[in-house]
C-alpha cells in the first residue's frame, strides 16, 4: 500500500468537496450494482483532513480534546457514545417530518442506515432482528424496537405487559435482560478516543482532566435507572455502536474498569406532552431528526431516505474517505465487510482508511477502495446477492404491511432462521387500550402531516383526493378525542375541504380510480426495513412450528438470497378511491358531518358543557318564523336592517369575543372559525340546490342555517376578510332570491312551511355548537318565513340592499364587479316586483270603488309607493347600463300612469262623461315614459321583444287617448274641430307605433288595432261630412279621407280570420256612406251608379258571411258530437267565441239595407228612359234584382228560420247579385 504520510506527522489528506459527487454508479467486485446517493441535508462541518497517528500511540489513554465539541469532527465523536441513543424508536419519524414531500409518494423506505445494514445482513448473521414497521402511503418507516428496553420499562410502568406476555408465551419463555459485556464498552471507548486523536494536531496522549473523568464515571451504574426514568415515546438512553467492528470478539482484549467507560453526555429527556408533540413534534426529543446527514439513496430500483452519522474526512486525490479502527489480531469477516461497504455506498464515499491496532496500540494505516471491499480476504461477498436480499425484503414487507397506521413488528430471534411479522396494533386492541402503543401518536401525526402536505398541492392533481382522505381517516382511527382534539378537529376540517362545494362533482375514473390499479395511485406496493441492534443479546430459542399470531413468516433466511423469491402482490386498496357522491346534497352532507365532528372536538377541548354560560334549558332556541303581526311589519324590518348594518360597520372598531370562553388566537378559536365558515358554505350550496329544485321552504331553511353560521363567525371574528364579506353578499343575495320565489309561489305555502320547519339531528347539533358562541339572531329579519306577500317582497329587497351596502362600505365594489352588477340587477328586479305589486293593489282598489267617485287616499299612497319603486329600479339598471331592463321598468311606469288616468275616468256620471284634463295629463305622462323606454333601447336590434312590447304599449296609449276623446269628447272645453284634430293626430301616432308588417305573435293584434283605427277615423270623417255645412272643400276632403280609411280598414279586416263582425260593420257603414252620397245626387244615372256601388260593397261582404257560416257549422257539429257522447253542453256556449247577438243585429241591418237598395234600383231601372248598355242587359239586371228582392222578402218574412239558414239565404242572394253585377258593370257609365 502506498504510504499516506510520514510517521508521526499530522499531515492532512485534503479534499475540496464536502460530499461525494451525487448520483454515481459504482462497479463493485466485478458485478455492476446501481447505486446513487443525493445528500438532502447535512449538519456536518466542511470536511477536514484527519491526522495520522504515530505508531505505538496508546488509544487506551484519552486525548486532551476527548468528548469536547469539535468543529472538525462535528457531532460524530459524541454520537459514538451515549448521546447517540442506540435505541431510537422514532428516528425515521424525525426524517419523515423533515422530508414530508417524499413520504407516501417517492420513497420506499425511511430509516436509520444501521437498520438498513441490519436487514441486508440477515442471511449472514445469527443476530436477532427486532424492528417496528409503519406504512404511510407507499412508504415504509423502519425503527428499532428494542425488546430489552421495552420490557425493562414495562416492569416499571406496567405498559406493554401484553406484549411481554405474548413474547414470553410464543418466543422466549425464559426471557431475562442481558447486560452488555465489558468488551463492548472497551471497544466503544477506544473508537471514540481514536476519532478524537485523529482530529487532534499533536497526536500526543494527554491525560483527561478530573472533571472529564467524573463526567465519564456515572453511566454504567446509572444506565438502567436513567432508562427507567425516561418515558416512551422519548428516545432510549442507550450507547451506540456506530462504525464499531461488528465482528470483534472478546479474545485478546483488555477488560477495562468502569472508570474508563464513557457515560451519557445528554441529560434525560422530559416527559413529552402530546399537544406539544403535534405543534412541534419534529423538534421534540425522540422525534427530532438528529442525523448528521439525510441521504436519498437509490439502490437498484429501491428508493430510500437514510439517516447516517458516519464521519467523513477529506483526503488525497479523493474528495472523501471514511475512517475505521480495526484490531490487527482479528481478520475482517463478511459482516464487517458488508457493513463497511454499505456505509460507503450510502454516503457515496469512494475509499476507506483503516487504522490497525493491537490491544489499543496503533500499528499501521491502509487505504481500500469501496469497490474492492467485497473482495477482501475473509470478507468476500456477492453484491448481486445483497441486491437480491434487498429486493426480497422489500417485496415481503410491501406485501404484508398493508394497513396504514398499524404498527408491525419484524422479529428474528437470535440464532434462528425464521423471520416473523406481527401486527402489534391488532394484538394490542385485542388485549387493552390501543393508546398503550407508544407509536400511535407519532404515526397519527405523520399521517396528518403527509395529508397536510398533499392538501397544499391538491389543486395540482385531484386524483390525490382519495389518498388524502384515506390518510386522514386512518389518522382519526388512531386518535382519542379526549387526548388529541386539535388534530381531530383539523383532520375533520381537511376532510371537509376535499369536497368541492363551488362546482358540481365530476366523477372521472381517471381522477378517482375506483379499482385502484393505477401505478401512480396511493397505497401501491411498498417496502419497509427494520432497525438492527448489533449488541442485543437474546437467548437462542427454538421457533414454535405454528404461530397463528404472525401476519407473515419467512421460513428460512436463506430464501432471501434467491433472486425474486418474494414478489409483491399487494395492490392498491379500493378504499383509497374518492367516494362517489350522487348529487350536491350528499356531498354537502358529508362535509357537514366532518364539520360537526370537528366542532365537537373544539367544543370538548374548551370547556365541559356544564361549565358553559349556556342558555336556560327551559328557553327554546328560536327556530320558527315569527308572525308578521308581532314583527311590526316593514317599519320593524327597517330597524332590524339598520341594526344589522351598524354591526357590520363595527368590525373595524368593535371587539368580539366568544361566549364559550375561547381565547382569541388559540387553536380552538382559529379552527372553529374555519369550521363555521365551511359549514356556512355547505349550507349555502344546499340552499342553492334546493332553489334549483323549487323546494323554496327547504332552501330558506338552509340559507337560514348558513347565515346563522355566518352570524357566529361575525361574533368571533375581530375583522372580516374580503372574501368572507363577498360570501356574505352571496348568502344575502340568495336569501333575497328565495324570499322572492316564496312570494311568487304563495299557493304552495303550506308545503314550504313544512319544509322550513324540518331539521335533521346533524343540523341541530351544529346549531347547538353555534349557540355556544352567539344567539344567531342577527339575520333573523332575513330568514323568517312570512305569510304576507308584501312582507316577503320587502324582506327580499332588504336582503339585496344589505348585500349592496356591504359591498359599498367594505370597498369591494371594484374588486368584485360581477357581484356588484348581480346585486344591482336583483335590486332593480325586486323593486320592479314591488312596484307592480303596489300598482296591482291600486288597480284592485280602483275596481272596488263603485259608489265613491273620488280617488281615495289609499290609491294615491299606493301610486306613490309604486312610482318610487319603479324610479329606484330604473336608477339601479341605468347605473349598470342595463338598457333593456331599464326600458321594461319605464314601460311599467307608463302603465302606472295609465292606471292613474283610468282612476280619474269615473269622477262624473256617465250621462255627462267627458275626457278630463287629469286623464290627459296622466296619459301624456305615460306616453313620455314609453318614449323614454324607446330612447333607452335606442334601436330594435338591442332587444326586439322588448322593443315591440314598448311600441305596442305606446300605440295602445295613443289609441286609448284618441278613443276616449272621440267617445267622450270634452266639448265643454274644446271646439269640435280641435277635438277632431287631436283625435286624428293621436290615431295617426298610434298607427305609427303599430307594426303590422313584422311577422310575430303580436302581428294579428297589430292588424286588428290598425283596422280599428282606420274604421274609427273613417267613421269620424263620415260623421263630420254628415254634420258639416258650408265649406265644400272641407266636405270633399272629409269625403276622400272617409273613403280612404274605410278602404284600409276593409283590407286589414279581410286579412283577419277571426273578425267577421267587424268586417261586416265596416261594410255596412260604407253602404250608409254611399246612401248619404246618393241622397245629395239629383240625376238618375248618378243615383243608379251609387246604388250599384253600394250593392257591390254588400256583395263583397260575402267573405264575412262565409266565416260566420263556417263557425256556425263547426259549432253545430260539436253539439251533435257532444250529444252523442251524452255530454251536457250549455246552449249559450259557443266554442268558436262567436257573438251571436252581434251577428243577428248586423244581419238584420244588412237585410234591411239590402232590401232598401234593391227596391231603389228596381224603381230607378223601371222609371228611367235611358238604355243601360242595351235592352237585353237592362232587362237581365232588372229581372235579377226583382228575383233577389222577392227571395229576400220571403226570407225576412219567415220568422222560423235559424241563423244558419238565414246566412245561407244571404250567401245565395249575394252570389246571384255578384253574377248580375259583372254583367251590369259595363253598361253603367
Amino acid at each position: 500500500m502506498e504510504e499516506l504520510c510520514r510517521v508521526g506527522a499530522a499531515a492532512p489528506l485534503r479534499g475540496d468537496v464536502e460530499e461525494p459527487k451525487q448520483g454515481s454508479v459504482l462497479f463493485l467486485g466485478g458485478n455492476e450494482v446501481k447505486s446513487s446517493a443525493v445528500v438532502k441535508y447535512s449538519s456536518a462541518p466542511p470536511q477536514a483532513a484527519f491526522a495520522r497517528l504515530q505508531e505505538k500511540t496508546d488509544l487506551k489513554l484519552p486525548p486532551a480534546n476527548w468528548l469536547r465539541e469539535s468543529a472538525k469532527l462535528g457531532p460524530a465523536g459524541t454520537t459514538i457514545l451515549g448521546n447517540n441513543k442506540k435505541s431510537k424508536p422514532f428516528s425515521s419519524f424525525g426524517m419523515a417530518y423533515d422530508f414530508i414531500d417524499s413520504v407516501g409518494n417517492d420513497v420506499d423506505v425511511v430509516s436509520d442506515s444501521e437498520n438498513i445494514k441490519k436487514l441486508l445482513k440477515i442471511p449472514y448473521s445469527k443476530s436477532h432482528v427486532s424492528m417496528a414497521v409503519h406504512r404511510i402511503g407507499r412508504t415504509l418507516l423502519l425503527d428499532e424496537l428494542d425488546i430489552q428496553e421495552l420490557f425493562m420499562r414495562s416492569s416499571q410502568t406496567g405498559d406493554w405487559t401484553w406484549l411481554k406476555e405474548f413474547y414470553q408465551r410464543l418466543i422466549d419463555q425464559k426471557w431475562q435482560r442481558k447486560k452488555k459485556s465489558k468488551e463492548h464498552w472497551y471497544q466503544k471507548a477506544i473508537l471514540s478516543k481514536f476519532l478524537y486523536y485523529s482530529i487532534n494536531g499533536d497526536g500526543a496522549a494527554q491525560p483527561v482532566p478530573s472533571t472529564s473523568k467524573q463526567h465519564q464515571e456515572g453511566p454504567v451504574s446509572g444506565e438502567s435507572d436513567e432508562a427507567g426514568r425516561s418515558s416512551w415515546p422519548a428516545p432510549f438512553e442507550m450507547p451506540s455502536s456506530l462504525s464499531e467492528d461488528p465482528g470483534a470478539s472478546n479474545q485478546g482484549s483488555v477488560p477495562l474498569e468502569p472508570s474508563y467507560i464513557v457515560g451519557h453526555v445528554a441529560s434525560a429527556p422530559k416527559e413529552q406532552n402530546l399537544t406539544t408533540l403535534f405543534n412541534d413534534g419534529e423538534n421534540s426529543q425522540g422525534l427530532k431528526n438528529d442525523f448528521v446527514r439525510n441521504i436519498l439513496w437509490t439502490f437498484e430500483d429501491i428508493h430510500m431516505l437514510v439517516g447516517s452519522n458516519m464521519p467523513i474526512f477529506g483526503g488525497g486525490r479523493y474528495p472523501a474517505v471514511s475512517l475505521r479502527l480495526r484490531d490487527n489480531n482479528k481478520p475482517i469477516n463478511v459482516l464487517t465487510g458488508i457493513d463497511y461497504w454499505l456505509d460507503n455506498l450510502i454516503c457515496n464515499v469512494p475509499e476507506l482508511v483503516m487504522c490497525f491496532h493491537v490491544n489499543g496500540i496503533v500499528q499501521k494505516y491502509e487505504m481500500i477502495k469501496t469497490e474492492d471491499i467485497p473482495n477482501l480476504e475473509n470478507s468476500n461477498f456477492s453484491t448481486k446477492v445483497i441486491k437480491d436480499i434487498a429486493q426480497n425484503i422489500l417485496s415481503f414487507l410491501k406485501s404484508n404491511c398493508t394497513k396504514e397506521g398499524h404498527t408491525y413488528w419484524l422479529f428474528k430471534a437470535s440464532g434462528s432462521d425464521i423471520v416473523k411479522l406481527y401486527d402489534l396494533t391488532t394484538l394490542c386492541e385485542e388485549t387493552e387500550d390501543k393508546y398503550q402503543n407508544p407509536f400511535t401518536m407519532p404515526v397519527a401525526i405523520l399521517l396528518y402531516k403527509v395529508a397536510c402536505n398533499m392538501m397544499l398541492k391538491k389543486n395540482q392533481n385531484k386524483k390525490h383526493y382519495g389518498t388524502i382522505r384515506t390518510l386522514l381517516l386512518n389518522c382519526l382511527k388512531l386518535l382519542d378525542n379526549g387526548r388529541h382534539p386539535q388534530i381531530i378537529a383539523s383532520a375533520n376540517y381537511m376532510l371537509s375541504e376535499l369536497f368541492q362545494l363551488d362546482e358540481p362533482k365530476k366523477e372521472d375514473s381517471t381522477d378517482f380510480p375506483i379499482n385502484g390499479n393505477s401505478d401512480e395511485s396511493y397505497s401501491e406496493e411498498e417496502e419497509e426495513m427494520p432497525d438492527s441492534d448489533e449488541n442485543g443479546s437474546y437467548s437462542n430459542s427454538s421457533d414454535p412450528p405454528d404461530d397463528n399470531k404472525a401476519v407473515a413468516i419467512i421460513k428460512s433466511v436463506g430464501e432471501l438470497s434467491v433472486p425474486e423469491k418474494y414478489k409483491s402482490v399487494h395492490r392498491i386498496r379500493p378504499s383509497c378511491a374518492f367516494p362517489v357522491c350522487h348529487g350536491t346534497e350528499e356531498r354537502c352532507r358529508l362535509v357537514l358531518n366532518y364539520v360537526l365532528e370537528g366542532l365537537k372536538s373544539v367544543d370538548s377541548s374548551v370547556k365541559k358543557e356544564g361549565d358553559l354560560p349556556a342558555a336556560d334549558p327551559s328557553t327554546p332556541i328560536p327556530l320558527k318564523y315569527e308572525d308578521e303581526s308581532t314583527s311590526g311589519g316593514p317599519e320593524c324590518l327597517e330597524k332590524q336592517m339598520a341594526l344589522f348594518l351598524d354591526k357590520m360597520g363595527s368590525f373595524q372598531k368593535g371587539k368580539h369575543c366568544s361566549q364559550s370562553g375561547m381565547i382569541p388566537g388559540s387553536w380552538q378559536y382559529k379552527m372553529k372559525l374555519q369550521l363555521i365558515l365551511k359549514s356556512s358554505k355547505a349550507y349555502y350550496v344546499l340552499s342553492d340546490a334546493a332553489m334549483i329544485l323549487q323546494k323554496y321552504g327547504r332552501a330558506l331553511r338552509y340559507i337560514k342555517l348558513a347565515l346563522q353560521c355566518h352570524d357566529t363567525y361575525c361574533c368571533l371574528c375581530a375583522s372580516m376578510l374580503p372574501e368572507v364579506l363577498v360570501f356574505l353578499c352571496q348568502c344575502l343575495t340568495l336569501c333575497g332570491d328565495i324570499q322572492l320565489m316564496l312570494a311568487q309561489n304563495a299557493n304552495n305555502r303550506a308545503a314550504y312551511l313544512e319544509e322550513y320547519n324540518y331539521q335533521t339531528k346533524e343540523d341541530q347539533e351544529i346549531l347547538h355548537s353555534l349557540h355556544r358562541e352567539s344567539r344567531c339572531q342577527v339575520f333573523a329579519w332575513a330568514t323568517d318565513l312570512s305569510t304576507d306577500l308584501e312582507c316577503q317582497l320587502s324582506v327580499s329587497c332588504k336582503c339585496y340592499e344589505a348585500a349592496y351596502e356591504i359591498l359599498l362600505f367594505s370597498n369591494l365594489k371594484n374588486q368584485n364587479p360581477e357581484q356588484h352588477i348581480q346585486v344591482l340587477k336583483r335590486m332593480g328586479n325586486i323593486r320592479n316586483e314591488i312596484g307592480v305589486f303596489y300598482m296591482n293593489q291600486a288597480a284592485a282598489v280602483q275596481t272596488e270603488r263603485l259608489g265613491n267617485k273620488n280617488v281615495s287616499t289609499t290609491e294615491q299612497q299606493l301610486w306613490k309607493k309604486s312610482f318610487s319603486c319603479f324610479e329606484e329600479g330604473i336608477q339601479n339598471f341605468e347605473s349598470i347600463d342595463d338598457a333593456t331592463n331599464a326600458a321594461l321598468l319605464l314601460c311599467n311606469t307608463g302603465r302606472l300612469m295609465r292606471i292613474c288616468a283610468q282612476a280619474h275616468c269615473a269622477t262624473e256620471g256617465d250621462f255627462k262623461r267627458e275626457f278630463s284634463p287629469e286623464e290627459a295629463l296622466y296619459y301624456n305622462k305615460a306616453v313620455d315614459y314609453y318614449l323614454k323606454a324607446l330612447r333607452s333601447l335606442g334601436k330594435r336590434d338591442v332587444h326586439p321583444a322588448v322593443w315591440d312590447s314598448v311600441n305596442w304599449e305606446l300605440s295602445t296609449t295613443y289609441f286609448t287617448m284618441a278613443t276616449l276623446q272621440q267617445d267622450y269628447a270634452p266639448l265643454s272645453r274644446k271646439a269640435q274641430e280641435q277635438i277632431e284634430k287631436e283625435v286624428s293626430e293621436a290615431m295617426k301616432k298610434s298607427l305609427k307605433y303599430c307594426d303590422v308588417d313584422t311577422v310575430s305573435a303580436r302581428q294579428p293584434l297589430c292588424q286588428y288595432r290598425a283596422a280599428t283605427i282606420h274604421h274609427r277615423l273613417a267613421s269620424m270623417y263620415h260623421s263630420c261630412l254628415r254634420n258639416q255645412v258650408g265649406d265644400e272643400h272641407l266636405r270633399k276632403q272629409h269625403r276622400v279621407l272617409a273613403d280612404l280609411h274605410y278602404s284600409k280598414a276593409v283590407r286589414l279586416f279581410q286579412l283577419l280570420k277571426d273578425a267577421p263582425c267587424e268586417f261586416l260593420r265596416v261594410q255596412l257603414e260604407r253602404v250608409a256612406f254611399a246612401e248619404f252620397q246618393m241622397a245629395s245626387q239629383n240625376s238618375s244615372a248618378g243615383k243608379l251608379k251609387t246604388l250599384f256601388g253600394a250593392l257591390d260593397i254588400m256583395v263583397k261582404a260575402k267573405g264575412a258571411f262565409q266565416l260566420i257560416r263556417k263557425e256556425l257549422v263547426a259549432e253545430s257539429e260539436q253539439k251533435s258530437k257532444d250529444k252523442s257522447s251524452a255530454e251536457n253542453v250549455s246552449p249559450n256556449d259557443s266554442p268558436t267565441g262567436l257573438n251571436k247577438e252581434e251577428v243577428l243585429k248586423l244581419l238584420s241591418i244588412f237585410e234591411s239595407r239590402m232590401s232598401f237598395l234593391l227596391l231603389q234600383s228596381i224603381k230607378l231601372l223601371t222609371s228611367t228612359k235611358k238604355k243601360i248598355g242595351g235592352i237585353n242587359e237592362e232587362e237581365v239586371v232588372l229581372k235579377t234584382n226583382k228575383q233577389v228582392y222577392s227571395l229576400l222578402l220571403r226570407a225576412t218574412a219567415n220568422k222560423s228560420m235559424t241563423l244558419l239558414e238565414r246566412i245561407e239565404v244571404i250567401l245565395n242572394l249575394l252570389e246571384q247579385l255578384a253574377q248580375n253585377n259583372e254583367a251590369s258593370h259595363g253598361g253603367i257609365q
Side-chain angles (χ1 to χ4, degrees), residues 392 395-396 553-555 559-560 564-568:
N392 279 325
S395 297
F396 173 75
I553 296 175
I554 297 174
K555 294 181 180 179
E559 295 177 352
L560 295 173
E564 298 186 4
K565 171 68 176 176
Y566 290 93
K567 292 185 179 179
S568 176

Side-chain angles (χ1 to χ4, degrees), residues 269-284:
K270 297 180 180 178
E271 181 77 22
Q272 290 187 33
N273 178 277
L274 293 180
T275 305
T276 308
L277 192 65
F278 166 70
N279 288 330
D280 55 353
E282 58 269 38
N283 296 321
S284 19

Side-chain angles (χ1 to χ4, degrees), residues 187-215:
Q187 295 292 343
K188 297 282 285 184
I190 64 168
L191 174 60
S192 176
K193 293 169 188 174
F194 166 68
L195 287 175
Y196 275 95
Y197 273 121
S198 297
I199 62 168
N200 195 22
D202 56 11
Q206 300 178 18
V208 179
S210 59
T211 53
S212 180
K213 273 196 174 183
Q214 292 170 3
H215 184 64

Side-chain angles (χ1 to χ4, degrees), residues 417-662:
D417 282 344
I418 297 178
V419 182
K420 296 182 181 181
L421 184 71
Y422 298 95
D423 184 347
L424 292 188
T425 301
T426 304
L427 294 174
C428 180
E429 289 172 350
E430 289 175 359
T431 54
E432 48 183 277
D433 183 7
K434 66 181 177 182
Y435 302 109
Q436 290 293 328
N437 181 352
F439 284 102
T440 298
M441 190 61 185
V443 172
I445 292 172
L446 188 55
L447 288 166
Y448 173 82
K449 282 178 172 286
V450 173
C452 282
N453 186 60
M454 295 182 76
M455 279 289 282
L456 297 175
K457 304 173 184 176
K458 65 175 181 150
N459 292 328
Q460 300 171 15
N461 196 347
K462 291 186 177 182
K463 74 179 181 183
H464 289 153
Y465 280 17
T467 306
I468 297 169
R469 177 175 174 271
T470 306
L471 285 165
L472 292 170
L473 291 176
N474 286 330
C475 170
L476 289 172
K477 286 177 188 175
L478 299 173
L479 299 171
D480 174 55
N481 193 38
R483 306 184 194 193
H484 322 117
Q486 184 178 3
I487 312 180
I488 290 175
S490 186
N492 277 295
Y493 173 68
M494 282 202 292
L495 282 166
S496 73
E497 278 287 282
L498 290 175
F499 294 86
Q500 299 301 297
L501 296 177
D502 53 348
E503 59 184 355
K505 188 83 167 68
K506 293 180 182 178
E507 305 305 337
D508 189 343
S509 60
T510 59
D511 284 348
F512 304 110
I514 294 173
N515 59 4
N517 288 329
S518 164
D519 288 339
E520 296 181 4
S521 296
Y522 172 70
S523 274
E524 200 183 359
E525 310 168 5
E526 295 136 10
E527 162 192 16
E528 178 176 313
M529 308 181 84
D531 306 67
S532 68
D533 181 357
E534 290 294 339
N535 298 299
S537 176
Y538 294 80
S539 63
N540 187 356
S541 60
S542 61
D543 296 287
D546 181 24
D547 185 356
N548 57 7
K549 296 289 185 181
V551 174
I553 296 175
I554 297 174
K555 294 181 180 179
S556 172
V557 293
E559 295 177 352
L560 295 173
S561 303
V562 180
E564 298 186 4
K565 171 68 176 176
Y566 290 93
K567 292 185 179 179
S568 176
V569 295
H570 177 65
R571 302 303 300 171
I572 309 134
R573 289 167 290 167
S575 62
C576 293
F578 200 71
V580 177
C581 296
H582 303 286
T584 303
E585 182 154 4
E586 184 182 349
R587 187 162 67 255
C588 290
R589 280 291 160 198
L590 278 170
V591 169
L592 290 169
N593 180 58
Y594 291 128
V595 167
L596 177 58
E597 293 303 315
L599 287 172
K600 285 179 178 177
S601 294
V602 173
D603 291 342
S604 66
S605 70
V606 177
K607 283 184 179 181
K608 293 182 180 178
E609 292 290 335
D611 300 334
L612 282 176
D616 182 359
S618 63
T619 305
I621 296 172
L623 299 177
K624 314 290 184 187
Y625 69 93
E626 290 185 12
D627 186 69
E628 62 274 9
S629 60
T630 61
S631 66
E635 294 79 11
C636 184
L637 190 63
E638 290 282 355
K639 293 178 183 176
Q640 290 173 322
M641 255 297 290
L643 289 172
F644 160 71
L645 290 174
D646 283 345
K647 176 164 185 178
M648 292 307 298
S650 69
F651 280 115
Q652 278 66 36
K653 55 186 177 180
K655 290 185 178 179
H656 305 272
C657 59
S658 163
Q659 294 180 6
S660 65
M662 279 196 305

